[in-house]
Amino acid sequence: MLAEELLNHMIPALQVTDSTGKAAKWLEEFHVGQLPVVDNRQYRGLITESDLLDYDQTEELLSQLTLGYADVHVQHDQHFYSIMEIAIQNKIQLVPVLDEQREYMGVVTVGDTLAALGQMPIAVGQGGILVLSMDERDYSLTQISRYVEENNAKILSAHVAQDESDPYKIRLTLKLNTPSLTRIVATLERFGYVITAQFSGATDVGEGEQDRFDALLKYLSL
């Protein structure tokens, strides 16, 4: 999949004429840690939550701020692997996409990239990976393990982190001892768990794909 095929049209761009107050409101409203800033259609950089901590005046214009990540973006025809690599390298949730004239087209989020990657067979040894999103109050590894074991599988490792797409939820990454995930996913979904990505083992994966997958797992464990 190419970057232009994964554009997330739900996340807007801020203009340089917008205020820091509007930026703070939109960061909260869209549950993201960064938002792109453009001058008409020219990409200028990302505004982050930490950027706004230095500004007490909510009416200060974004054009007066020194924006970071001005060189962090992909072209519309780049493979989604490039998006994943840039997100991992820069520890950001979304990556801006530009056209041939280097004009802003939109963003692709880490979640969008996970969904695209989840459609591809990726080697994970002899096992598989599941990524779940849930309310913190619904987290019970004991209960989830029971559902997994009911399908003749075991959890080899588990990692809990904040869900980057929703600060009110957590993300649980499970490594399982089986690449056969269909019945496990069906069981978990039947009990109300949301599966945001899944990866099954494959024997014909290239070295580059495995390296990228390993990098993704490292990102998920940050």
Side-chain angles (χ1 to χ4, degrees):
M1 278 189 188
L2 303 181
E4 62 186 357
E5 300 176 274
L6 296 173
L7 291 176
N8 190 316
H9 299 290
M10 300 300 293
I11 298 178
L14 290 156
Q15 292 286 336
V16 292
T17 52
D18 289 328
S19 67
T20 55
K22 182 176 180 177
K25 180 179 178 181
W26 277 20
L27 286 169
E28 180 179 2
E29 182 176 341
F30 292 98
H31 305 302
V32 291
Q34 312 88 31
L35 277 173
V37 180
V38 299
D39 185 355
N40 291 320
R41 291 190 60 192
Q42 296 298 313
Y43 172 65
R44 297 305 184 202
L46 296 176
I47 184 75
T48 70
E49 293 174 322
S50 58
D51 292 334
L52 298 176
L53 295 177
D54 298 328
Y55 295 90
D56 298 327
Q57 301 299 320
T58 59
E59 295 308 313
E60 188 156 7
L61 299 183
L62 298 183
S63 58
Q64 299 174 280
L65 276 63
T66 301
L67 298 172
Y69 305 100
D71 296 324
V72 176
H73 52 74
V74 295
Q75 294 299 114
H76 69 101
D77 56 354
Q78 285 186 258
H79 196 272
F80 72 84
Y81 280 150
S82 299
I83 301 169
M84 183 173 67
E85 289 167 349
I86 287 176
I88 292 169
Q89 290 167 5
N90 293 278
K91 299 182 181 179
I92 53 178
Q93 295 173 242
L94 47 82
V95 178
V97 179
L98 310 184
D99 64 14
E100 290 92 343
Q101 288 74 44
R102 299 180 64 81
E103 291 187 338
Y104 176 81
M105 294 180 63
V107 297
V108 179
T109 69
V110 169
D112 301 326
T113 308
L114 281 171
L117 187 63
Q119 297 174 22
M120 301 184 64
I122 301 293
V124 289
Q126 299 300 313
I129 298 287
L130 288 179
V131 183
L132 295 76
S133 178
M134 68 190 74
D135 292 332
E136 188 170 359
R137 66 175 180 273
D138 295 329
Y139 171 67
S140 170
L141 189 58
T142 300
Q143 186 67 46
I144 294 169
S145 296
R146 186 168 68 83
Y147 294 143
V148 171
E149 291 171 3
E150 285 175 357
N151 289 283
N152 300 314
K154 291 187 180 297
I155 296 174
L156 299 179
S157 64
H159 182 268
V160 179
Q162 184 178 16
D163 191 329
E164 73 279 342
S165 64
D166 188 339
Y168 301 105
K169 293 183 179 295
I170 60 172
R171 182 187 64 223
L172 173 64
T173 304
L174 301 175
K175 184 168 183 178
L176 308 179
N177 69 337
T178 175
S180 302
L181 302 179
T182 303
R183 291 177 59 188
I184 298 171
V185 168
T187 299
L188 291 172
E189 289 181 336
R190 187 166 71 249
F191 287 98
Y193 292 97
V194 176
I195 312 298
T196 60
Q198 55 181 294
F199 312 98
S200 298
T203 58
D204 57 352
V205 67
E207 182 179 352
E209 282 81 0
Q210 183 63 52
D211 289 343
R212 291 182 175 98
F213 184 72
D214 291 341
L216 176 61
L217 290 186
K218 187 178 295 185
Y219 178 89
L220 290 172
S221 297
L222 288 178

